[in-house]
Amino acid sequence: MNALLRLRSISCLGVAAVALLASGVYAHEHSAGHGHDHDNHTTPAPASSPLDELPYYFAHAPHRGWLVLHIVTMLIAWVGVMPIATTLSLASSRLHAPTQGLFLLTNALGLVFAAIHRRLTPDLYPGAAHRKLGWTLLAILIAQVALGVLARAGRRADTDEAWKEERDGFLPLVETEAGRHSADSGHGGSIERDSPPLERIDWRAATAAPIRTVHWLPHLPHLPHLPHLPPYTARVCTALSTALAYLLLPLAFTQISTGLVTGSGIFMGPRIFNGLAHFIKGGIFALYGIFTLTRYLGCFAPLGWAWNTPATPTRAPAFETVESALFLTYGVSNVFLEHLAASGGPWSHGDVQHVGIALLFAGGGACGVLLGSRRLARYLSPSAASSAATPPPPPNPPPNPLPALIITALGLLMSSHHQHSALSTQMHTHWGALLATGAVLRLGTLLLYFRNPPDAHPGRPPTEALGAFCFFAGGMVFMASNKDTVAWVERVGGDAVTVTTAVAGLALAGMAWGVVVVAVGGWAGERERGGSNVEGVDI
C-alpha cells in the first residue's frame, strides 16, 4: 500500500515537473524570439483584421453541426464522465467498469463526429496539436484497458492459488476396496464404512459465499487464453493504471485548451509563443487551484498532505517541500533559457526582468527545500550546537511559508506589468491580484494550523477553499490575457471586468463539479467498505 501511495505521488509530481519545465522552455522561446508577453512594450498587437474574416472552425458555417456534436460529446466524456470514472477507480469501486465503459463509448462517439467534420471541412489549422494529442489520449486509454485486463488476470491467479491452498488444507476422500472413508478433516467429523457413496465435492462451489473482492473490470468472463501470470501482476498493473489515471487529468485539461485554440484559430504563426506562454503558465495555476480544492476536501491525506499535521508520520515529503522543489527546478532552468535563443545579441528589458523572476523562483525554491528537509531539521534545533544530546527530529517539519511567499511576490509583480494596451494591463492586474490573494490566504492557513495538535482526520481550513478559487480563477484569467484574446475583446467592445467576471463564474462552477466528483468517490469507497465512515478520499 505504501509503495502504491508513493507511485501515485511520484506520478502527480512528474506531471507537474514536466509542465513546469515545458513552461520554462516556451517562455524562453517566446521572450527571446518574439518579445515576452508580459513586459515587452514594443511588440505590436496582432493584425487588426476582424477575426470573422479569418478562416477558423467556429466561424465556418458549413457542417458546423458536426463540430457542435463533437464538442458536446467530448465535454460530456472528459468533463462529466471521466472524472467520475477516475475517482471510482481510485476508490476501488465495482461501479468503475460500467462508468469507464460509458466514458469510452462517449469518447468514441465524439471521435466519429470529429472524423465526419474533418472529412467535410478543409483543414483550417494545419499542424494542430489538438489532433495529435487526441490520438495520444486514445493510446493511453487503450493501455489503461489492457492494464485492467492484466490486473484482472493477476487477481484471478491469486484467487486460484488461494483456493488451492484452502482446498489442500482438507484431506481428500480416498476410495478403497473396502469402501470409502475419510480421515478427520479437522472439523471433528468422519465418514463411516457403511455410509452411502459420496460424490466428489467441489470446494469452490461449496464455499461460494459472496466475497467482496474489487476488480478494475469485475465482470470479465473467464480468460482462458491468458498465460499464467505471477502473483504480483495485479499490484503492478493496478499501480500503473492509477498513474495513467492521474496523467489523464492534466492531459484532459490540455486537450480542452488545445481544442479551444484550434476552433477559434488563435495563436497562428509567430503569435503561438505568446499563446503558449499564457496557456501553459496560466493552466498550471488553474490546475493548482483544482489540486488545492481536492486537498481541502481531504484528498491526499494518506500521503501526509492534510493541512493539520497527521498523527502518523509518512515517508512522503511535505507538500510545501514538493512545491519548493518544483519552483527550484523552474527557476534554475529559466535562468539559463531566457536569453538562449538570442545568444550573442543584446539583452532586452524583458530578458532582465524574467531572469530576475527566475532567480526569485530558484532562490525561494532552494530555501523552501532546505527548510522542509526532515534530515536538516535535527541540525537546525537549538540543542544541536550544544553538548547536550540532540533530541529526535519532529515527525513533520514546521509549516513552510516559502511557496506562498513566492506566489505572493509573483502576483504583485505581474499585476504591475505594463502591457501594449490598457485592457491587457487591467487583465494582468486582475490575475496578479488573484494569485497574490490566494498566496496570502495560504499564509493564513499556515498560521491557523501552526499550533494545532495533531489529528488523524484531515482538516478543512476555510482559507484554502477561498485560495482554491483565487488560484483557479487567476490561472484562467492568465490564460485569457494573451494578445489574441485581448485583441478580440477589444474589437467586440468588451472590458477586463466582463472577462474576469465570466471566468470567475466558470471557476466556481468547476469547483462545484469538483466537490461532486470527490463526494462520489467518498460514497463509492464507503459503499465498498460496507458503510463505514469516510473522512477523505484516497486520490
Side-chain angles (χ1 to χ4, degrees), residues 396-409:
N396 291 281
N400 190 343
L402 266 301
L405 176 63
I406 295 173
I407 298 177
T408 302

Side-chain angles (χ1 to χ4, degrees), residues 8-17 20 246 284-296 299-310 314-328 364-365 368-374 395-404 406-407 442 445-446 464 468 471 539:
R8 291 178 178 179
S9 62
I10 290 172
S11 64
C12 295
L13 304 181
V15 170
L20 282 172
Y246 281 121
I284 289 175
F285 279 109
L287 291 173
Y288 185 65
I290 297 175
F291 182 89
T292 302
L293 176 65
T294 56
R295 188 182 178 192
Y296 162 77
C299 304
F300 306 100
L303 293 175
W305 290 354
W307 282 110
N308 49 329
T309 303
T314 64
R315 297 182 60 184
F319 183 71
E320 287 75 17
T321 305
V322 176
E323 288 179 311
S324 299
L326 294 176
F327 289 164
L328 174 62
V369 169
L370 294 175
L371 291 180
S373 172
R374 291 187 177 95
N396 291 281
N400 190 343
L402 266 301
I406 295 173
I407 298 177
R442 171 64 54 83
T445 301
L446 298 179
E464 284 305 299
F471 291 133
I539 294 182

Side-chain angles (χ1 to χ4, degrees), residues 80-90 95-96 99-101 103 517:
V81 184
M82 190 273 289
I84 296 293
T86 300
T87 192
L88 290 177
S89 173
L90 298 175
L95 299 175
H96 170 250
T99 309
Q100 184 77 2
F103 166 62
V517 170

Side-chain angles (χ1 to χ4, degrees), residues 514-535:
V515 173
V516 172
V517 170
V518 174
V520 169
W523 167 82
E526 181 178 356
R527 182 174 180 268
E528 295 301 325
R529 286 186 288 269
S532 59
N533 292 328
V534 178
E535 294 293 339

Side-chain angles (χ1 to χ4, degrees), residues 134-152:
W135 291 116
T136 302
L137 290 175
L138 182 61
I140 292 176
L141 292 176
I142 294 174
Q144 199 175 28
V145 172
L147 289 172
V149 173
L150 292 176
R152 167 64 170 163

Side-chain angles (χ1 to χ4, degrees), residues 30 48 168 261 360 371:
H30 165 57
S48 59
D168 291 345
V261 170
L360 169 69
L371 291 180

